[in-house]
Amino acid sequence: MLGVQSGGGKRRTRVTSSSLSDRQEGKIKLVFLLATVGITLTLLGVGTEFWVELASSKHFYNNETCLAAHYGLWKSCMKKFWVADVDPERETCGPIDLPGESNCTYFKIYTTGENIVLFHKMPAKNLTVITAMLATFSLFLMVMGALCIMMALNKGVQFFLKPASVCFTLSGLLVFLSLIIFHQSVLSFLASDHSIPLHHELSWSVACMGCAGALLVVAGVLLLILALPYSSWGKCLPNRNTASS
């Protein structure tokens, strides 16, 4: 009887030791908050069409108006401005937030395969599709990572922190990869036709995606650190007393 009771006591001790302490839960919630900010920025960046801004010279058409455009993963907009409204010191049309006549259309490359035409140029269809696929898959990984953290907090088990770390780290890397491919698609777009010289600059949606990728990678690394058992930290960082002896 004593042996059975002692064995049961050991099993209870193991279950209790594997549960998360209040301090660990607090750290996990802080990292989850960091990841949530990254997820929010990713949703904001993916859902908007301000990835790149294109502007022609304000005197290119030799009339009272000039053209500028901006597009993202799903939508493009062409805007017409009055040259008188543009800053006299500015050589190109814009900026894009000036009041003007706007004409926006959604991309048809995901449905009918028809590409858009802006300033007699067409973006590289395959690069645009790859960028959208990477961004969408990164969102899927973010959702999986968030579910893993919720399960870790609800069940009080550290095991779910490791897959959450992998999901957030991979999603952040995919965000960076999507930005690189999108930039290559913009360069390919500009090189497709030189009849209309354009000035381009990456817009605030790209900045949101870049910050989101950094936050997600940091969150993934922090979750991996929290998932390591304290015995591993004892081996990597021995006590001062042990080192002095």
Side-chain angles (χ1 to χ4, degrees), residues 81-102:
F81 303 100
W82 292 100
V83 176
D85 295 335
V86 181
D87 188 353
E89 298 182 357
R90 184 183 176 95
E91 295 294 331
T92 58
C93 191
I96 207 69
D97 55 354
L98 278 179
E101 182 182 348
S102 180

Side-chain angles (χ1 to χ4, degrees), residues 22-202:
D22 293 339
R23 185 177 181 182
Q24 287 175 313
E25 287 187 2
K27 293 179 180 179
I28 294 172
K29 289 178 180 178
L30 286 176
V31 177
F32 189 30
L33 178 62
L34 185 68
T36 303
V37 175
I39 296 172
T40 304
L41 290 176
T42 305
L43 288 172
L44 181 63
V46 170
T48 54
E49 63 275 7
F50 292 92
W51 282 55
V52 64
E53 298 179 6
L54 307 168
S56 61
S57 174
K58 63 181 180 181
H59 299 298
F60 180 79
Y61 297 98
N62 295 322
N63 54 24
E64 297 179 350
T65 60
C66 61
L67 295 176
H70 60 91
Y71 68 90
L73 301 180
W74 324 103
K75 187 179 179 181
S76 65
C77 294
M78 181 76 75
K79 295 191 71 173
K80 181 185 293 185
F81 303 100
W82 292 100
V83 176
D85 295 335
V86 181
D87 188 353
E89 298 182 357
R90 184 183 176 95
E91 295 294 331
T92 58
C93 191
I96 207 69
D97 55 354
L98 278 179
E101 182 182 348
S102 180
N103 182 19
C104 298
T105 57
Y106 285 95
F107 290 171
K108 297 181 180 179
I109 56 177
Y110 306 109
T111 54
T112 62
E114 181 182 354
N115 205 348
I116 62 169
V117 179
L118 297 172
F119 300 103
H120 304 293
K121 308 174 191 287
M122 289 191 299
K125 186 188 302 185
N126 56 342
L127 295 179
T128 304
V129 173
I130 291 174
T131 303
M133 290 176 60
L134 290 176
T136 304
F137 187 63
S138 68
L139 286 173
F140 171 75
L141 289 177
M142 294 174 204
V143 173
M144 295 301 296
L147 291 176
C148 289
I149 291 183
M150 291 178 184
M151 293 178 67
L153 292 174
N154 290 333
K155 297 183 179 296
V157 181
Q158 280 187 335
F159 170 77
F160 294 103
L161 297 181
K162 293 181 180 179
S165 171
V166 173
C167 288
F168 284 132
T169 304
L170 286 179
S171 64
L173 295 177
L174 287 179
V175 167
F176 286 131
L177 184 59
S178 66
L179 292 178
I180 294 173
I181 295 177
F182 179 79
H183 186 245
Q184 291 299 318
S185 71
V186 173
L187 297 179
S188 176
F189 167 79
L190 295 173
S192 62
D193 185 89
H194 298 282
S195 59
I196 302 178
L198 294 177
H199 170 76
H200 80 283
E201 60 181 14
L202 300 178

Side-chain angles (χ1 to χ4, degrees), residues 5 7-17:
Q5 290 178 356
K10 290 180 180 178
R11 283 195 292 270
R12 293 193 191 95
T13 303
R14 289 175 184 173
V15 173
T16 305
S17 62

Side-chain angles (χ1 to χ4, degrees), residues 197-219:
L198 294 177
H199 170 76
H200 80 283
E201 60 181 14
L202 300 178
S203 191
W204 58 268
S205 295
V206 172
C208 288
M209 294 289 288
C211 294
L215 290 175
L216 291 167
V217 171
V218 171

